[in-house]
Amino acid sequence: MLYALMGLGLSLITGVLNIPNFAHGALFAVGAYFLFSAIHAVGNFWLALVLAPVGVALLGLVIEYAGIRPLYAAGHDYQLLFTFGLSLILGEGIIVVWGPIGFSQLPPSILRGGLDLGFIFYPKYRLFVMVMAGLLVLATWLFLEKTRYGAIMRAGIENKEMVSLLGIDVHRLFTAAFALGAYLAGIAGALTAPIRGLSPSMGVDMLGIAFVVVALGGLGNLLGAIAAGLIIGVAQAVVALYWTEASVAVIFAVMAAILLVRPQGLFGIR
Amino acid sequence: MSDLNRRDVLKLGAIGAAGAVAGLGFPAVIRAQAKEVVMLGIWPFTGAFSDVGPILDRGMKMALEERGMKILGRPIKYITRDSATQAGASTRRVEEAVDGEGAKFVIGPWSSGVALAVSEVAKRKKVLHYFSGGTEDISGARCHRYSFQWAASPYTAAKTVVDTFMKANPRAKRWHLLVADYAFGWSVEKYIKEVGKTHGLEFVGADRHPLGEREFSNYVTKAAGNKPDVVAMINFGLDAVTAAREIFNFGLTPKLPLIMSWSSGVEELVQLTPEIRENIWVGSNFYYTADTPVAKEFVKSYQAKFGGPPGYAPSAAYGMTRMLLHGFDRAKSVEVQDVVKGLEGIEVNDLVGRMRVDAKTHQTLRPFFFMRCKPKSAMKNPMDFADIIATGDTPLPAQYAACKDIGSF
């Protein structure tokens, strides 16, 4: 579900702004580090889990407004280079602020340890993450499908010029889409921190998978991102049970196999 | 003067002018290069292990600065290149540093697989190469006169870890192994299994994971399913940290003991909370409470400079550089082949105690450390991670030695 969450945010930004956001992995890492600092500041995991992704969304808002927006006129390549440069700046920023050596963040005490599910012994915190990420994906989906602003965002993905001609401030739409994408990356990072810990390179590891999810689902297709995230996650889990050495390679093998049959991705039309 | 004609005067003038230019101008660089001893640190500043690149650099610098950046009266020029933990990038950059900057002495990188590639460059370019890592091939099947191994032999490590652990836990016979799938993991796994036979161990599982694995839940599920008495990991850096965290999250530790067979010590342990470290046993080539005069002095000066104790990475870089400089001292020469001969058979009391370089294999024979992590209540300060409970220096038995003939220059 975390892959779906990451893929959904990246797909939203790719769809609306029409740029592959290379800083998406770095925003994921920033979410984890914000959670760590917020826990130390407020002393409460749950409050920190609310605050950390909001902080990343605000950061996303600033990035779009101050960094990407002035480059709309300059063209696509400049925006792409900007997000790539931004990913390096954020990565180095993490090292400057929190140091090069990673650290661990324990789950809240109520979610420590595991549950015997009969067929498998599974950590409580991972079960919580599954449910939480599922709810977030569902909430985002409902927002995009059932609200007026969600409809505008979807329309923005389909045809920005038309949306603009209808009198909608397309720049505000871009900012909102980037902030929402950053929020999803941030909360994915925050939820991941107690599982994988924190390290400056954690975003790089996740960025590749997020791009696989977006490509597999179809560029800018939100439903495709969710489905691809689930397919990748399940494929990785199943292969790891029987052939652990191939658990990373399978992500790319699944992508290659599906793209050979459907070059536009599972739900892509272009 | 009467014998000189106009042509001779012109010739002498030209030679004199050339000499003056050589004394004043750019040929001075050439003269300086001839006098300088160029040492290359090939460290991972990007890619896997990029977190330890800067601290490896620190360790090497500290050893050189102790000597005032000079050896046998000659200035040392220390240069670095990024290994990126990629064999292709490393070999290309080492060749460039050798050809372009005149590097004759190479230390690093940090990954065994990459080091084997760099070792081939050292052999071809006839430059001295020092490495510290878990592959046995540098001083084994792919040994040659130009490469040296500073880390303990994987056999020494396995023997220290298994013997000491079994002495403390004689009933823990069912072992599950989690192994990094590259040269270092294979070497240590082989000897843990060999030494394990002498204790009647049953290896109920041995899963291999790729370098840079970040999703260990499935490996841990499999380990739990095998119902082992102990989980032993043969991996390193962030792989080891991520796996240890996951094993804790699944509730295996602290109920089951977890062995980190070949750890970087401080750099890994600092990334785990005291709760996760409980019942973790750690093998390492260095721990900062090592009771030797050189280690005490090094740790003191490292802490004063950087505010925390050194782990295996800076200590290895420091230790390798010190050994290399001992080789110069013994050879009384800065020529590569003389320094190689100077290192062969050298015996010193250095960073980890008594250290001797086996002339036949270029393996450094030295102690390996085994620690047990402290519970939170016993920690005197946040960096007081573990107690050294044993050191072992059993060398590789002759029947396992793969370096049959180290060859000539």
Side-chain angles (χ1 to χ4, degrees):
Chain A
M1 288 309 283
L2 280 172
Y3 294 165
L5 209 54
M6 278 296 284
L8 186 59
L10 185 58
S11 202
L12 190 66
I13 292 171
T14 308
V16 176
L17 279 76
N18 200 26
I19 52 167
N21 178 24
F22 283 106
H24 210 66
L27 291 170
F28 168 85
V30 169
Y33 278 90
F34 275 7
L35 176 89
F36 180 80
S37 291
I39 289 172
H40 283 259
V42 301
N44 182 306
F45 178 88
W46 304 107
L47 184 55
L49 190 60
V50 172
L51 293 176
V54 171
V56 182
L58 290 173
L59 180 64
L61 202 136
V62 173
I63 289 168
E64 197 285 333
Y65 185 78
I68 298 175
R69 187 175 294 190
L71 295 174
Y72 285 134
H76 195 71
D77 296 347
Y78 290 87
Q79 296 160 14
L80 195 146
L81 280 172
F82 174 78
T83 63
F84 183 71
L86 186 67
S87 73
L88 299 177
I89 291 167
L90 290 175
E92 291 301 312
I94 286 172
I95 291 172
V96 170
V97 177
W98 287 282
I101 303 288
F103 30 79
S104 297
Q105 172 60 54
L106 288 178
S109 49
I110 196 171
L111 294 177
R112 286 181 203 166
L115 278 181
D116 192 351
L117 302 177
F119 63 101
I120 195 172
F121 188 81
Y122 210 69
K124 289 181 199 166
Y125 184 75
R126 276 188 175 259
L127 291 170
F128 162 75
V129 169
M130 269 189 218
V131 173
M132 182 78 184
L135 288 174
L136 280 163
V137 168
L138 183 66
T140 310
W141 179 247
L142 288 174
F143 165 74
L144 293 168
E145 284 291 320
K146 304 289 179 191
T147 68
R148 184 172 173 273
Y149 209 78
I152 293 172
M153 277 193 181
R154 282 185 290 122
I157 293 173
E158 293 301 323
N159 195 328
K160 277 176 267 300
E161 288 77 17
M162 181 58 76
V163 170
S164 187
L165 285 171
L166 290 171
I168 292 163
D169 185 346
V170 78
H171 282 148
R172 190 178 290 174
L173 175 70
F174 289 173
T175 309
F178 199 92
L180 180 57
Y183 175 87
L184 293 172
I187 198 157
L191 287 169
T192 305
I195 298 174
R196 295 194 184 176
L198 300 98
S199 70
S201 64
M202 64 188 294
V204 179
D205 301 329
M206 192 51 113
L207 181 65
I209 296 174
F211 271 116
V212 167
V213 169
V214 170
L216 191 56
L219 290 179
N221 190 294
L222 305 177
L223 182 62
I226 296 168
L230 292 173
I231 289 170
I232 291 289
V234 170
Q236 191 180 22
V238 170
V239 168
L241 277 178
Y242 300 101
W243 187 17
T244 42
E245 292 90 337
S247 62
V248 175
V250 72
I251 294 173
F252 301 95
V254 167
M255 179 183 75
I258 293 179
L259 292 185
L260 276 173
V261 181
R262 278 187 67 83
Q264 71 274 41
L266 287 172
F267 293 82
I269 50 168
R270 47 182 169 160
Chain B
M1 277 300 284
S2 58
D3 293 338
L4 287 175
N5 57 26
R6 191 180 64 88
R7 192 175 293 271
D8 290 329
V9 170
L10 284 173
K11 274 183 188 168
L12 284 169
I15 291 166
V21 170
L24 297 169
F26 70 88
V29 176
I30 295 167
R31 286 193 300 129
Q33 281 175 343
K35 284 175 74 178
E36 276 174 354
V37 177
V38 185
M39 294 187 183
L40 167 67
I42 175 93
W43 306 126
F45 294 111
T46 60
F49 304 134
S50 59
D51 52 332
V52 290
I55 54 179
L56 285 157
D57 178 49
R58 275 181 195 172
M60 187 163 174
K61 263 189 202 152
M62 281 181 71
L64 296 174
E65 282 166 1
E66 275 179 5
R67 298 281 195 116
M69 298 300 285
K70 281 186 177 171
I71 186 69
L72 301 174
R74 296 201 184 197
I76 295 171
K77 183 182 175 188
Y78 171 51
I79 59 171
T80 59
R81 292 290 184 274
D82 180 14
S83 76
T85 307
Q86 289 172 7
S90 296
T91 51
R92 200 170 57 247
R93 287 165 188 171
V94 169
E95 288 199 41
E96 174 271 314
V98 170
D99 294 338
E101 301 238 26
K104 298 278 186 201
F105 303 91
V106 180
I107 299 185
W110 195 234
S111 153
S112 292
V114 181
L116 287 166
V118 170
S119 175
E120 290 303 314
V121 175
K123 186 180 179 183
R124 196 169 68 247
K125 293 281 179 185
K126 299 186 185 299
V127 295
L128 195 154
H129 170 226
Y130 228 123
F131 170 68
S132 181
T135 176
E136 61 175 336
D137 288 347
I138 293 273
S139 55
R142 290 163 69 177
C143 66
H144 59 79
R145 289 298 287 279
Y146 292 96
S147 275
F148 291 83
Q149 169 69 277
W150 186 84
S153 144
Y155 179 86
T156 307
K159 179 95 177 135
T160 308
V161 167
V162 178
D163 284 357
T164 313
F165 183 82
M166 290 313 294
K167 196 173 169 191
N169 306 272
R171 289 184 181 176
K173 299 274 190 185
R174 289 169 59 83
W175 284 44
H176 181 95
L177 303 181
L178 189 54
V179 185
D181 195 11
Y182 62 104
F184 138 72
W186 308 330
S187 297
V188 181
E189 179 188 3
K190 182 172 89 177
Y191 291 121
I192 282 195
K193 286 182 171 171
E194 281 299 315
V195 178
K197 283 180 195 165
T198 63
H199 293 275
L201 300 188
E202 181 191 354
F203 292 96
V204 292
D207 279 330
R208 289 183 171 181
H209 67 79
L211 175 66
E213 178 65 89
R214 295 292 169 263
E215 179 51 65
F216 280 94
S217 59
N218 298 300
Y219 298 94
V220 181
T221 308
K222 276 184 82 177
N226 287 332
K227 302 199 184 313
D229 297 324
V230 54
V231 177
M233 298 199 301
I234 309 165
N235 49 13
F236 194 79
L238 210 45
D239 289 1
V241 170
T242 311
R245 192 185 288 123
E246 201 71 324
I247 287 168
F248 172 81
N249 281 342
F250 270 75
L252 268 67
T253 51
K255 277 183 263 171
L256 287 185
L258 171 68
I259 300 174
M260 298 167 88
S261 315
W262 183 285
S263 167
S264 63
V266 169
E267 289 100 352
E268 289 170 15
L269 298 177
V270 75
Q271 299 187 52
L272 302 171
T273 62
E275 293 86 349
I276 300 174
R277 288 197 298 264
E278 201 180 330
N279 210 6
I280 290 186
W281 305 62
V282 185
S284 184
N285 278 285
F286 183 79
Y287 192 63
Y288 75 96
T289 56
D291 191 16
T292 73
V294 178
K296 282 180 176 170
E297 197 54 42
F298 169 60
V299 171
K300 194 174 147 194
S301 118
Y302 190 94
Q303 278 181 314
K305 255 184 152 171
F306 304 112
Y312 164 42
S315 312
Y318 177 79
M320 283 188 281
T321 312
R322 277 184 65 96
M323 286 300 280
L324 176 62
L325 296 173
H326 286 316
F328 280 92
D329 292 339
R330 191 166 178 235
K332 294 186 174 53
S333 164
V334 297
E335 295 304 318
V336 170
Q337 295 184 359
D338 293 339
V339 181
V340 167
K341 287 178 197 160
L343 280 169
E344 288 174 342
I346 195 171
E347 192 165 344
V348 287
N349 268 315
D350 207 80
L351 188 63
V352 294
R354 186 173 163 272
M355 305 177 80
R356 183 166 68 84
V357 176
D358 182 1
K360 290 179 181 168
T361 63
H362 286 191
Q363 170 65 48
T364 305
L365 306 173
R366 42 145 300 166
F368 187 78
F369 299 87
F370 194 53
M371 289 89 73
R372 182 170 189 186
C373 288
K374 291 181 174 185
K376 194 175 183 179
S377 55
M379 290 170 64
K380 293 181 192 125
N381 61 64
M383 303 301 265
D384 184 21
F385 303 118
D387 285 320
I388 297 174
I389 56 171
T391 57
D393 58 3
T394 312
L396 181 72
Q399 72 262 31
Y400 298 125
C403 180
K404 302 295 181 197
D405 177 13
I406 199 157
S408 63
F409 288 114

